[in-house]
């Protein structure tokens, strides 16, 4: 959607957004990208209610998006939503004719689209082997044209092992690699023909604490855990590829807290635990992490070592992600402590604070803490409902202070990241939004 629009306007109350489309835009079959295609694609998202549909839930209805002319799209929202402009980047505009021609049993083309494209982008699918590799070829007739040198295509090869990906990059078998361990990135950074970026991301890594059930439902216990944790040990695990966070937002987001309240202090931890009438003498607790994620296992080990000093006995349990998510729905089954990476679909505090801390999100993977505070709910609703940035920031300042004071989570770090790549790669720019692969349109391969 971003490149398809040439301009936009928004009403003062952030409920009506109007976009003008680029008249040059065409789908890959040569047909024009029209406002009707945007309407169709948006209504399809709402009807399927999967994937990115959560961004528009309770915000937009099917009849709220219209096309007054072929180049104009109007979104009339059910309620004000200041980050809507960011969210529109996730409206993948499809060719209605192509999708309709490949529908089966009313699936809106979902089965066909798993191995085919119906968009207007610069690359077309040429090979699709789920779980193995995906190949894309550059469209020479791309409607925006090409500036200077560019790649003729690229292959996304699926590989699970960090060491395997490191060796492939090191040997020149691939140009990019992602999801490498801090140790492998440290090794690659020493090689002159490899570039290992360390850009401040907008993602966060925190330990979700069950605020609704068990010992961690007690704010005094949560504060004790927060003071007991060894933050430097956690940063050491990340080998320089992480930065402390002071609260629920990455320090790179505008308005994020910058100075941590909780530093490692066992005496303060003991003092906080002593305030708990039920748990002052210690207790047993479980730390659950995703099978195979070593830094999460080491987070649990740090918890175990530190909380011993408070007579809190930690059991570390590995669990498949899908099984953990199934537990989140019930606060009595939800793990007491669970580490989670929170990426962002759009660079705005709302993208983190609403799905993690609004009571309507309790029981989801981001809302695994089961936090429920009517005052925070009200402030979140007010913040997303105004386009006045100063007023929004006032609300987010107050929300962050409240969440930190209650120690809703253990706030750990934000990654320093970027795709490690060969030095001959030109044009790569780090993009912190979740799901952003290298933007291949701008990439070329020069001399190493």
């Amino acid at each position: 959607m971003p490149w398809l629009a040439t301009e936009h306007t928004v009403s003062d109350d952030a409920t009506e957004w109007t976009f003008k489309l680029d008249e040059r835009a065409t789908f890959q079959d040569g047909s024009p990208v029209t406002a009707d295609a945007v309407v169709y694609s948006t209504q399809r998202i709402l009807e399927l209610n999967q994937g990115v549909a959560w961004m528009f839930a309770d915000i937009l209805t099917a009849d709220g998006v219209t096309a007054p002319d072929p180049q104009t799209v109007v979104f009339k929202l059910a309620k004000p939503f200041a980050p809507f402009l960011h969210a529109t980047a996730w409206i993948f505009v499809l060719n209605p004719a192509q999708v309709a021609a490949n529908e089966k049993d009313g699936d809106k083309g979902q089965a066909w689209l798993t191995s085919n494209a119906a968009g207007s982008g610069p690359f077309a699918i040429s090979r699709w082997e789920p779980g193995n590799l995906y190949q894309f070829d550059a469209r020479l007739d791309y409607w925006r044209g090409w500036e200077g040198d560019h790649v003729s295509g690229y292959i996304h090869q699926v590989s699970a092992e960090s060491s395997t990906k490191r060796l492939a990059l090191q040997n020149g078998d691939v140009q990019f690699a992602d999801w490498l361990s801090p140790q492998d990135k440290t090794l690659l950074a020493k090689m002159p023909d490899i570039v290992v970026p360390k850009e401040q991301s907008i993602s966060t890594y925190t330990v979700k604490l069950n605020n609704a059930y068990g010992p961690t439902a007690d704010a005094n216990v949560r504060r004790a855990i927060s003071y007991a944790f060894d933050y430097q040990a956690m940063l050491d695990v990340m080998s320089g590829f992480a930065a402390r966070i002071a609260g629920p937002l990455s320090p790179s987001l505008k308005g994020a807290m910058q100075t941590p309240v909780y530093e490692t202090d066992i005496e303060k931890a003991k003092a906080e635990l002593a305030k708990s009438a039920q748990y002052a003498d210690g207790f047993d607790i479980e730390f659950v992490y995703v099978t195979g994620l070593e830094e999460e296992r080491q987070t649990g080990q740090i918890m175990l070592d530190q909380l011993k000093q408070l007579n809190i006995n930690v059991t570390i349990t590995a669990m498949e992600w899908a099984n953990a998510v199934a537990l989140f729905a019930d606060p009595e089954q939800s793990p007491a402590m669970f580490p989670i990476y929170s990426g962002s679909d759009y660079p705005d505090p709302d993208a983190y604070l609403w799905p993690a801390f609004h009571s309507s999100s309790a029981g989801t993977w981001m809302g695994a803490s089961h936090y429920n505070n009517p005052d925070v709910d009200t402030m979140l609703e007010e913040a997303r409902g105004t386009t006045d940035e100063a007023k929004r920031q006032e609300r987010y300042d107050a929300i962050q202070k409240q969440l930190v004071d209650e120690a809703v989570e253990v706030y750990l770090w934000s990654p320093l990241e970027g795709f490690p790549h060969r030095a001959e790669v030109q044009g790569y720019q780090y993009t912190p939004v979740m799901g952003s692969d290298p933007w291949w349109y701008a990439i070329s391969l020069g001399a190493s």
Side-chain angles (χ1 to χ4, degrees), residues 214-399:
T216 51
D218 186 328
N220 297 308
V221 170
R222 298 196 301 269
R223 293 188 191 102
I225 292 172
S226 297
Y227 279 122
F229 192 82
D230 189 337
Y231 297 95
Q232 186 56 52
M234 188 71 248
L235 292 177
D236 291 343
V237 167
M238 297 308 297
S239 302
F241 289 95
R244 273 292 309 272
I245 55 176
L249 300 178
S250 163
S252 63
L253 273 181
K254 181 181 178 181
M257 292 181 65
Q258 300 294 323
T259 305
V261 170
Y262 299 104
E263 298 286 6
T264 308
D265 189 324
I266 293 299
E267 293 308 311
K268 282 187 178 180
K270 289 178 178 179
E272 290 294 336
L273 191 61
K275 297 175 185 177
S276 172
Q278 187 174 358
Y279 300 107
D281 296 329
F283 50 87
D284 296 334
I285 193 169
E286 187 177 28
F287 179 97
V288 179
Y289 75 98
V290 175
T291 302
L293 294 185
E294 178 60 14
E295 66 273 22
E296 293 194 359
R297 185 196 68 78
Q298 292 186 63
T299 306
Q301 188 62 50
I302 293 170
M303 279 289 190
L304 184 153
D305 293 341
Q306 292 297 110
L307 296 187
K308 281 180 181 177
Q309 301 173 73
L310 305 182
N311 198 30
I312 299 174
N313 304 307
V314 177
T315 300
I316 302 174
T317 303
M319 186 178 294
E320 294 296 331
W321 171 249
N323 295 337
V325 171
L327 295 179
F328 294 157
D330 181 356
E332 295 191 14
Q333 298 296 320
S334 193
M337 299 191 289
F338 193 96
I340 282 183
Y341 289 93
S342 296
S344 176
D345 292 316
Y346 49 92
D348 188 274
D350 179 83
Y352 292 89
L353 301 180
W354 185 282
F357 305 111
H358 192 275
S359 61
S360 64
S361 300
T364 62
W365 71 268
M366 280 191 73
S369 60
H370 292 273
Y371 181 69
N372 187 338
N373 184 320
D375 292 336
V376 170
D377 278 358
T378 298
M379 288 188 287
L380 284 169
E381 290 157 10
E382 291 173 347
R384 66 162 31 184
T386 177
T387 56
D388 186 318
E389 287 302 316
K391 291 182 179 178
R392 293 190 80 213
Q393 192 56 58
E394 287 178 7
R395 301 296 187 278
Y396 289 135
D397 288 345
I399 290 167

Side-chain angles (χ1 to χ4, degrees), residues 5-87:
T6 58
E7 60 182 277
H8 80 279
T9 57
V10 58
S11 62
D12 290 340
D13 64 355
T15 60
E16 185 168 320
W17 300 72
T18 302
F19 295 83
K20 292 291 184 180
L21 301 184
D22 193 320
E23 295 181 354
R24 302 172 299 165
T26 60
F27 288 111
Q28 293 186 358
D29 67 353
S31 59
V33 177
T34 64
D36 284 335
V38 179
V39 172
Y40 167 83
S41 301
T42 307
Q43 292 176 340
R44 179 179 178 277
I45 290 171
L46 296 172
E47 183 176 343
L48 291 174
N49 194 30
Q50 298 175 12
V52 299
W54 72 268
M55 295 186 204
F56 308 101
D58 301 323
I59 298 298
L60 183 64
T61 60
D63 59 2
V65 52
T66 58
D69 65 60
Q71 305 306 132
T72 305
V73 184
V74 178
F75 296 90
K76 292 186 177 180
L77 308 185
K79 61 179 70 171
F81 184 50
F84 184 70
L85 181 62
H86 293 306

Side-chain angles (χ1 to χ4, degrees), residues 116-139:
N116 295 274
S120 60
F123 293 91
I125 298 172
S126 59
R127 189 161 46 138
W128 196 263
E129 300 175 12
N132 183 27
L133 64 82
Y134 308 87
Q135 180 171 338
F136 301 85
D137 297 336
R139 293 175 54 206

